Amino acid sequence: MSSINYDERIPNNVNLSSDRRLQRALEKWQPAFLDWWNGVGPQVFQHDEIYLRTAISTDPGGWAHFGHVRMPDYRWGIFLAAKEEGRVIPGGDHAGQPVWDSVPGEHRNALKRLIVVQADTEPASVEQQRYLASCAPSLMDARNLFQVNVEEGRHLWAMVYLLHAHFGADGRDEADELLARRAGDADKPRILDAFNQPCEDWLTFYCFTCFTDRDGKYQLGSLAESGFDPLSRTCRFMLTEEAHHLSVGELGVERVLRRSAQLTRLDKNGDARAQGGIDLPTVQKWINHWFSYSIDLFGAEISTNAADYFAAGLKGRWREAADYTDHLCIGVEKTIPVYENGRLVQRAVPLRSLMNEELRQSYIKDAERVVVRWNKALEEEGIDFRVSLPDSRFFRRQGIYANLPFDPSGNLIDEATWQARKDEWLPTDADRAYVKSLMHPVYGIGQVAHWIAPPRRGINGQPFEFEYVRREPVPEAR
Ligand code: BYC
């Protein structure tokens, strides 16, 4: 079950050829996907050969093959992690009962909604990032961007398979709609806020892959704890691919921080911008922006939707089966600060209603570990500046703190103070224009842009000076 059949038009490990109707429906969706990819996927290097990894098996550790491929020839397909015999529903009212192989009628709409929301993010991120390669700081960075993009394309395939295989005609309609919405479009935007934000510079790309893809890790982890086994198996395999995306983001920001620190030290006034770099307070503003948008993706702190998903066994907490003993969470309350009459007061809330917040807290702990590593890099570079994550109440647009004025430490401030100080904390138009002005393509083998340190390691044991992108020779002018 874990080895992948690449002989079929749609590579898969789900024995697709045994279900001709499903196979035909997906083969009909395939050209629409390719049209979408060619239209709003990467806009440069589409026809050059990129050093990409492709899944060859879904066994842990044994699934990647590296080689040069043209992106439109990438073999997108349907890969589920192997079935775990005897798996039981990890959490909620049905905890301990056998998992479902088909969709229970009473949970059909909720499951479809969760799968559509998850699916929508995958093509959205590819659309957001489609012009980035035209200003890539190195060929290895361009390659990493494309690796992330083709895998988001495959994650879309994974979700579309679930919609086609388990949700009949409305699943097929939803799959078509996934190719019709567009990131940032005024009339047909993507579903979640962060996926309509522009992503036009590489500092944004690194923050996005570090923070927003990390939300993906936690949401997929929570869906991997689903009682609907095909969803769980799909997410478990997606999670193995997600780790690389997170490292692209974490190491990308780290390289910017190192270079910024070096340029700060080099300048007699300590001004990295005067040396053609990105100053450290600007990097902090990008962190503030993307961390806040990414924690919005966990939804409202107090959510009856989240309580219902948990009760029904559709979603679990992070590592629900492995790390928790009480999988029912009935009669348990937790206290959280809520805004009432102009101040924050502690309120006890039933744990089931706090499931979005529980997942967000697991995410924040993970993100904090990344910041520790970034600060270690700054220390190694001999600079006093330290970066930090803003408080989870800062600059929120979803949930109980939405649109309230909090400073980055989470203190409630008045509106006038917010207005006076927000440009210290968040990117201004001038900051964005400055960062964008540094974005020029560096396509020489082993070369890297001035504003970022070179990576310390290459991909798959290759050196940085490797031909990660084999560019077609430009025809000579006559
Ligand atoms: N923007 O009760 P609530 C990834 C809506 S990223 C806009 O809190 P719920 C990836 C919400 O939909 C992972 N709207 O909702 C990363 C609801 O609307 P309706 C994506 C938002 O359902 C990088 C209403 O507000 N996966 O994989 O408890 C690259 C009430 O809110 C937002 C998932 O999200 C927002 N930020 O929680 C590529 C997993 N937040 O239904 C890929 C599936 C909330 O009243 N989704 N709303 O119209 C879910 O689990 C849940 O739908 C959410 C929301 C956690 C998103």
Side-chain angles (χ1 to χ4, degrees):
M1 196 60 174
S2 61
S3 71
I4 292 167
N5 183 352
Y6 273 99
D7 294 335
E8 292 181 30
R9 210 162 115 190
I10 301 173
N12 71 88
N13 70 347
V14 293
N15 204 6
L16 192 57
S17 57
S18 69
D19 184 341
R20 299 310 290 264
R21 247 180 99 202
L22 177 61
Q23 189 179 28
R24 271 200 301 275
L26 285 164
E27 285 179 356
K28 214 169 135 210
W29 189 81
Q30 191 177 36
F33 168 83
L34 284 172
D35 281 351
W36 166 83
W37 176 270
N38 289 322
V40 287
Q43 299 293 299
V44 281
F45 295 124
Q46 267 285 10
H47 299 287
D48 297 290
E49 293 189 327
I50 321 290
Y51 187 65
L52 295 175
R53 68 175 184 188
T54 312
I56 45 172
S57 130
T58 56
D59 290 337
W63 55 274
H65 166 81
F66 283 82
H68 282 89
V69 269
R70 289 166 67 253
M71 284 184 279
D73 299 337
Y74 190 78
R75 302 301 315 276
W76 284 283
I78 300 159
F79 316 136
L80 270 62
K83 191 169 170 59
E84 236 176 68
E85 288 312 322
R87 183 172 173 258
V88 294
I89 299 170
D93 295 340
H94 313 287
Q97 295 173 14
V99 290
W100 316 299
D101 286 321
S102 52
V103 176
E106 68 273 32
H107 303 315
R108 192 173 188 277
N109 282 342
L111 264 176
K112 191 175 69 184
R113 168 90 189 144
L114 286 174
I115 293 169
V116 166
V117 172
Q118 175 62 48
D120 191 69
T121 63
E122 315 290 358
S125 65
V126 176
E127 292 163 9
Q128 285 170 295
Q129 295 162 11
R130 69 183 182 273
Y131 295 112
L132 277 176
S134 61
C135 57
S138 77
L139 286 182
M140 192 181 113
D141 285 285
R143 174 263 165 219
N144 285 344
L145 165 72
F146 298 143
Q147 183 72 59
V148 168
N149 289 164
V150 292
E151 285 173 356
E152 300 304 5
R154 204 201 63 70
H155 294 180
L156 171 62
W157 267 98
M159 292 291 131
V160 163
Y161 165 71
L162 293 176
L163 289 169
H164 272 240
H166 295 280
F167 295 89
D170 22 311
R172 291 194 290 277
D173 290 346
E174 292 286 5
D176 292 345
E177 281 298 296
L178 287 167
L179 298 177
R181 286 186 288 270
R182 286 285 176 277
D185 189 279
D187 299 322
K188 253 184 165 301
R190 291 294 172 182
I191 297 171
L192 299 174
D193 291 347
F195 296 90
N196 290 306
Q197 288 284 298
C199 185
E200 293 166 351
D201 66 76
W202 279 75
L203 183 54
T204 292
F205 173 67
Y206 300 133
C207 287
F208 185 96
T209 36
C210 181
F211 293 125
T212 312
D213 279 69
R214 195 172 307 272
D215 167 57
K217 168 181 166 184
Y218 280 81
Q219 295 294 348
L220 291 173
S222 145
L223 295 172
E225 302 290 332
S226 182
F228 177 44
D229 205 39
L231 175 61
S232 167
R233 291 171 55 203
T234 304
C235 291
R236 268 183 273 150
F237 182 59
M238 287 162 78
L239 275 167
T240 63
E241 293 177 322
E242 208 62 58
H244 172 67
H245 306 192
L246 302 185
S247 78
V248 167
E250 174 180 338
L251 296 177
V253 174
E254 182 185 316
R255 286 163 56 208
V256 178
L257 289 170
R258 281 188 187 275
R259 188 68 180 138
S260 303
Q262 291 157 6
L263 294 172
T264 306
R265 290 187 55 181
L266 197 70
D267 189 78
K268 64 179 187 315
N269 300 316
D271 180 2
R273 286 198 188 195
Q275 297 296 322
I278 304 175
D279 52 300
L280 292 164
T282 297
V283 181
Q284 178 66 60
K285 288 183 181 187
W286 257 246
I287 292 172
N288 290 348
H289 176 97
W290 281 101
F291 182 71
S292 309
Y293 263 97
S294 303
I295 57 175
D296 263 345
L297 292 170
F298 290 85
E301 282 72 7
I302 304 171
S303 165
T304 49
N305 283 348
D308 292 345
Y309 297 152
F310 181 82
L314 308 185
K315 268 183 102 171
R317 289 167 289 185
W318 177 249
R319 294 172 54 84
E320 176 73 44
D323 287 0
Y324 291 89
T325 45
D326 172 15
H327 297 300
L328 274 178
C329 303
I330 288 177
V332 189
E333 292 190 330
K334 268 199 172 178
T335 305
I336 63 160
V338 299
Y339 178 81
E340 270 174 25
N341 303 322
R343 58 196 189 95
L344 284 177
V345 292
Q346 296 291 335
R347 194 190 317 150
V349 179
L351 183 54
R352 281 192 172 190
S353 299
L354 288 175
M355 287 303 170
N356 284 343
E357 183 58 10
E358 291 288 288
L359 197 61
R360 180 168 19 241
Q361 290 304 326
S362 302
Y363 166 95
I364 291 174
K365 277 201 202 99
D366 193 18
E368 276 165 353
R369 284 193 285 270
V370 174
V371 172
V372 169
R373 291 195 286 268
W374 287 342
N375 282 332
K376 198 153 167 283
L378 287 173
E379 196 182 334
E380 279 169 21
E381 297 295 338
I383 200 115
D384 283 342
F385 194 95
R386 296 288 178 267
V387 287
S388 57
L389 297 177
D391 186 86
S392 61
R393 293 191 282 274
F394 174 74
F395 189 47
R396 294 286 303 281
R397 287 144 308 277
Q398 302 289 333
I400 58 176
Y401 309 117
N403 305 314
L404 291 168
F406 290 99
D407 70 12
S409 305
N411 301 309
L412 194 56
I413 52 178
D414 56 59
E415 186 57 33
T417 310
W418 168 260
Q419 288 301 336
R421 298 200 60 190
K422 69 178 192 319
D423 288 354
E424 282 170 43
W425 300 325
L426 291 166
T428 62
D429 288 348
D431 293 326
R432 288 184 205 284
Y434 175 71
V435 170
K436 238 176 143 180
S437 76
L438 302 179
M439 301 293 129
H440 298 293
V442 177
Y443 293 159
I445 292 174
Q447 291 178 1
V448 69
H450 176 72
W451 52 268
I452 183 168
R456 296 184 152 193
R457 269 192 310 277
I459 299 297
N460 190 35
Q462 305 288 0
F464 175 55
E465 299 79 14
F466 177 74
E467 200 175 16
Y468 289 105
V469 177
R470 268 192 210 139
R471 300 175 66 202
E472 299 228 315
V474 181
E476 282 186 26
R478 293 189 185 190

